Amino acid sequence: MSTIHIDEAAGSDDTGKGTPELPYQSLAFAVYSHPTASYLIRKDSAGTYEEPTQSALKKAKKGADGIEKKKKKAEELAEREAKEKKEERERREKLLEESKKIVLQEDPALPAAKKAKLSKLTDLRGSRVRVNGWVHRLRDQKGIIFIVLRDGTGYLQCILSGQVSQTYDALTLTLESSVELTGTLQPVPEGKTAPGGHELVVDFWKVLGAAPGAEDAFTNRLNEKSDASIQADLRHLVLRGETASAILKLRAALLSAFRQSYDANNLIEVTPPCLVQTQVEGGATLFALNYYGQPAFLTQSSQLYLETCLPSLGDVFCIQESFRAENSHTRRHLSEYTHLEAELAFINFDDLMTHIESIICETIDRLLENPTSAALIKQLNPNFTKPARPFTRLSYVDAIKWLNEHGIQHEAEDAEGNVIKDEAGNPKMVDHAVGDDIAEAAERRMTDILGTPVFLHGFPAELKAFYMKKIPNQGGDGPVFTESCDLLMPNVGEIVGGSMRIADMEELLAAYKREGIDPSPYYWFTDQRKYGTCEHGGYGLGVERLLAWLANRYTVRECSLYPRWPGRATP
Ligand code: 4AD
């Protein structure tokens, strides 16, 4: 007869073998698994192995009986479940076999159905309609199938019951399959809700493109818990979601509203090129490419082209992609973004800021007046209130003062631009001084505290692009300031950058020189100053940034159809 070892502290009933090296933990389990053995038990490794007392043994026998009973019960349950599963499978197989015999026919006696988009159904209530779309939601309730159909224009609840819900296609229907549904459109019963206030009672339908189920089912590839990189890889599927599609619809409404506002303000739309041979916002952020053996770039800004349109078309605007090769992984930077730019002739700096404010406010008013776009704003940003006018204007010099008064510091840098660290390795923080670039973090804190749109204006020339006009008649030895402005929005920061432009040819030539820019490829831009120059100014607005503010999105990446950032140019 073998001897079984039990160590009540270090033993294990799961992995133990009853040996001195691998003892069991409980006497009950030892008795259960080796009923005829003799036993040695200890409390822990500090104690010695001893025979259990008679009463302990008696108790353990009872325990062993319990284990035996539990095991039997578990086996019975597993057996029953397996049987039920098998029966369910057989029932389903039989049902599927039966379902194949049901072939739906459209009843020719019914009134002819009118084909319609989901957003255009209200006037068709009470009549027979035919709709197409994707299965957005799917629920089978005691043989009645409820589908929420999506076609891009809206959503519709559809009910399949009786024969229409018993076909093979009905029993195997999956989310994201494309379908055609025909039936009578009815108002939803009192006390119930559905998108649009109506539902389709389906009398005939077909699957157009079945989506896979099981392993490859839509919800297995993508769901709310999918991590950010999977969501980025599957952006094409993310777009089918309610939030992503609402953002894109609002984006379309925003662009359309901007176009209406520009039209109302006599600005003409032009479409400048993307392939260019000049820089606008500094060489560091240019994407270079080989253009038939010549160096060329993807445009950073269409500003210079817009300036050339003034004598031909008057005030102009464009909505064009701009490209920035910035290695910025922030929530407001994209490598490609939609740039809304405008240029106006015969204006002064005050006119420019007033115009920017008016265009933005008029555009927001249009969005709020339109029930469809107003509903999208409500859905995405329920607390949105339109900004009060006039926007606060804060000069750059006053902003530096404000930051220091509010204890908002920035990282100290050495002459080479490297961050200076203290002994603990943390960046050394210092007050702002006139001449400093206001970094993104400080700017964001300022806008968040102010909580309203703010025009920051009058930046030092050395922080800004070569083309900016200097504030006239500046005295003193300090930095030279420009007629430039950034519009900052709460939660996002800078959404607009604009300025008056150098109108004088000599001044422009000096600016090229100062920035080390070869003027020859800019001959067409310089010519504007030669053939009837004028005071003019303009701006660029980041569409994704404005949308992030309007729709209360965490990042501009959510506001672009297929966002690009460093390392990401797919899908
Ligand atoms: O301030 P920026 O660089 O100004 C210009 O390009 C001017 N030439 C525009 C003009 O006067 N016509 O850019 C203008 C705006 C910024 O305020 C910001 O909203 C957006 O473009 N922007 C970006 N948006 C997303 N990702 C980026 N990497 C961006 N860089 C600028």
Side-chain angles (χ1 to χ4, degrees):
M1 188 166 63
S2 61
T3 303
I4 298 299
H5 290 74
I6 300 110
D7 181 328
E8 288 182 319
S12 164
D13 293 345
D14 292 327
T15 54
K17 295 265 183 291
T19 58
E21 298 77 30
L22 290 169
Y24 291 130
Q25 193 196 13
S26 72
L27 185 56
F29 188 78
V31 172
Y32 164 72
S33 38
H34 307 271
T36 57
S38 64
Y39 314 100
L40 286 175
I41 185 165
R42 68 178 183 189
K43 281 248 168 292
D44 49 42
S45 57
T48 48
Y49 278 114
E50 284 170 14
E51 277 187 25
T53 62
Q54 277 308 311
S55 71
L57 210 54
K58 209 167 151 196
K59 210 169 140 205
K61 279 200 176 121
K62 260 200 186 149
D65 288 348
I67 295 173
E68 176 71 31
K69 268 191 200 141
K70 239 195 207 155
K71 200 180 150 217
K72 268 221 176 97
K73 245 197 187 150
E75 278 168 6
E76 276 167 24
L77 188 71
E79 216 171 89
R80 203 165 57 234
E81 276 175 2
K83 197 170 150 225
E84 278 169 11
K85 258 199 192 141
K86 191 168 160 249
E87 280 170 7
E88 173 60 29
R89 213 174 34 241
E90 283 168 1
R91 198 184 63 82
R92 170 113 183 129
E93 270 163 23
K94 206 167 143 215
L95 207 66
L96 285 176
E97 259 336 289
E98 288 296 310
S99 72
K100 284 181 191 162
K101 292 183 201 142
I102 304 174
V103 181
L104 286 187
Q105 297 284 354
E106 188 165 7
D107 184 351
L110 290 171
K114 291 188 200 86
K115 191 173 167 189
K117 293 279 184 196
L118 301 187
S119 62
K120 296 276 184 274
L121 289 176
T122 308
D123 292 343
L124 294 173
R125 278 192 195 165
S127 42
R128 231 177 137 246
V129 298
R130 199 182 316 278
V131 292
N132 289 279
W134 290 264
V135 177
H136 186 65
R137 274 193 233 124
L138 181 62
R139 183 162 55 94
D140 183 339
Q141 202 174 358
K142 298 194 189 115
I144 301 178
I145 296 174
F146 292 87
I147 294 173
V148 174
L149 190 71
R150 180 190 77 237
D151 77 345
T153 75
Y155 301 91
L156 174 68
Q157 174 157 292
C158 308
I159 301 164
L160 282 64
S161 64
Q163 276 227 324
V164 277
S165 70
Q166 291 159 7
T167 61
Y168 184 78
D169 282 349
L171 298 182
T172 56
L173 188 61
T174 47
L175 283 176
E176 294 304 327
S177 294
S178 52
V179 292
E180 180 190 271
L181 305 173
T182 309
T184 307
L185 190 69
Q186 294 184 347
V188 279
E190 196 86 20
K192 300 241 165 97
T193 53
H198 40 234
E199 59 192 16
L200 189 72
V201 179
V202 176
D203 58 55
F204 178 69
W205 72 289
K206 42 188 171 190
V207 172
L208 305 175
E215 284 292 285
D216 211 17
F218 190 88
T219 44
N220 277 345
R221 285 192 72 191
L222 179 74
N223 56 56
E224 272 143 35
K225 292 191 194 113
S226 303
D227 75 42
S229 75
I230 292 184
Q231 297 214 23
D233 286 343
L234 299 182
R235 177 76 181 157
H236 59 296
L237 302 183
V238 171
L239 295 180
R240 298 182 179 207
E242 283 167 37
T243 304
S245 59
I247 296 168
L248 291 179
K249 286 176 194 174
L250 184 58
R251 185 184 153 104
L254 176 69
L255 293 178
S256 161
F258 262 122
R259 287 193 162 98
Q260 290 169 40
S261 303
Y262 282 123
D263 190 39
N265 285 275
N266 303 311
L267 279 82
I268 282 194
E269 180 167 6
V270 292
T271 50
C274 272
L275 291 167
V276 300
Q277 291 190 308
T278 46
Q279 53 121 321
V280 188
E281 297 299 324
T285 63
L286 282 172
F287 277 111
L289 53 100
N290 178 335
Y291 189 72
Y292 304 106
Q294 295 258 320
F297 317 107
L298 293 175
T299 184
Q300 293 173 308
S301 159
S302 300
Q303 176 196 325
L304 308 191
Y305 293 101
L306 294 189
E307 289 189 46
T308 67
C309 296
L310 295 176
S312 159
L313 304 169
D315 300 344
V316 283
F317 76 98
C318 70
I319 300 177
Q320 172 71 290
E321 297 294 279
S322 274
F323 303 85
R324 302 283 168 105
E326 294 175 271
N327 201 13
S328 298
H329 291 258
T330 79
R331 58 192 171 105
R332 67 181 206 184
H333 283 95
L334 293 166
S335 304
E336 172 179 353
Y337 69 98
T338 304
H339 204 171
L340 187 148
E341 294 180 275
E343 202 66 29
L344 298 100
F346 307 112
I347 55 163
N348 64 30
F349 187 36
D350 184 58
D351 297 334
L352 176 66
M353 284 193 275
T354 306
H355 161 88
I356 296 171
E357 179 183 317
S358 303
I359 282 289
I360 290 175
C361 292
E362 275 178 44
T363 301
I364 290 167
D365 284 343
R366 281 178 212 286
L367 290 174
L368 293 174
E369 278 157 20
N370 177 314
T372 310
S373 47
L376 290 168
I377 295 174
K378 187 115 200 100
Q379 175 190 345
L380 295 163
N381 188 2
N383 298 322
F384 180 78
T385 43
K386 66 176 185 179
R389 294 182 70 177
F391 293 172
T392 305
R393 294 184 185 186
L394 186 65
S395 78
Y396 163 86
V397 174
D398 286 343
I400 295 286
K401 239 186 262 164
W402 189 99
L403 289 170
N404 290 339
E405 280 164 14
H406 288 77
I408 299 172
Q409 297 185 307
H410 70 97
E411 293 174 355
E413 288 180 0
D414 63 16
E416 271 91 53
N418 302 312
V419 175
I420 302 172
K421 303 229 166 124
D422 64 15
E423 279 158 20
N426 299 317
K428 188 176 159 206
M429 301 304 287
V430 289
D431 275 353
H432 284 85
V434 170
D436 287 346
D437 203 356
I438 301 175
E440 183 173 335
E443 183 187 284
R444 192 190 287 278
R445 282 187 65 194
M446 184 168 78
T447 30
D448 290 351
I449 293 172
L450 294 170
T452 55
V454 182
F455 269 120
L456 263 191
H457 60 86
F459 294 92
E462 63 203 64
L463 297 182
K464 289 291 180 181
F466 71 95
Y467 53 75
M468 292 192 181
K469 190 188 165 195
K470 297 185 185 74
I471 297 175
N473 309 318
Q474 293 181 62
D477 316 319
V480 176
F481 298 101
T482 55
E483 289 190 329
S484 53
C485 62
D486 283 356
L487 178 62
L488 313 180
M489 290 302 198
N491 297 323
V492 183
E494 181 198 326
I495 65 157
V496 176
S499 77
M500 294 300 291
R501 322 301 192 191
I502 294 173
D504 179 72
M505 177 124 103
E506 293 310 317
E507 203 183 325
L508 181 63
L509 294 177
Y512 290 139
K513 203 165 182 183
R514 189 189 70 224
E515 296 290 323
I517 296 172
D518 172 10
S520 45
Y522 291 81
Y523 69 93
W524 49 276
F525 181 66
T526 315
D527 267 357
Q528 300 307 307
R529 280 81 189 156
K530 188 168 168 187
Y531 297 97
T533 193
C534 69
E535 288 299 327
H536 65 289
Y539 56 93
L541 177 151
V543 170
E544 292 81 6
R545 289 194 186 175
L546 178 65
L547 196 57
W549 168 73
L550 183 65
N552 192 29
R553 292 299 105 191
Y554 177 73
T555 158
V556 290
R557 293 178 186 182
E558 283 185 75
C559 299
S560 164
L561 182 63
Y562 284 102
R564 269 80 179 96
W565 63 83
R568 164 74 56 183
T570 47

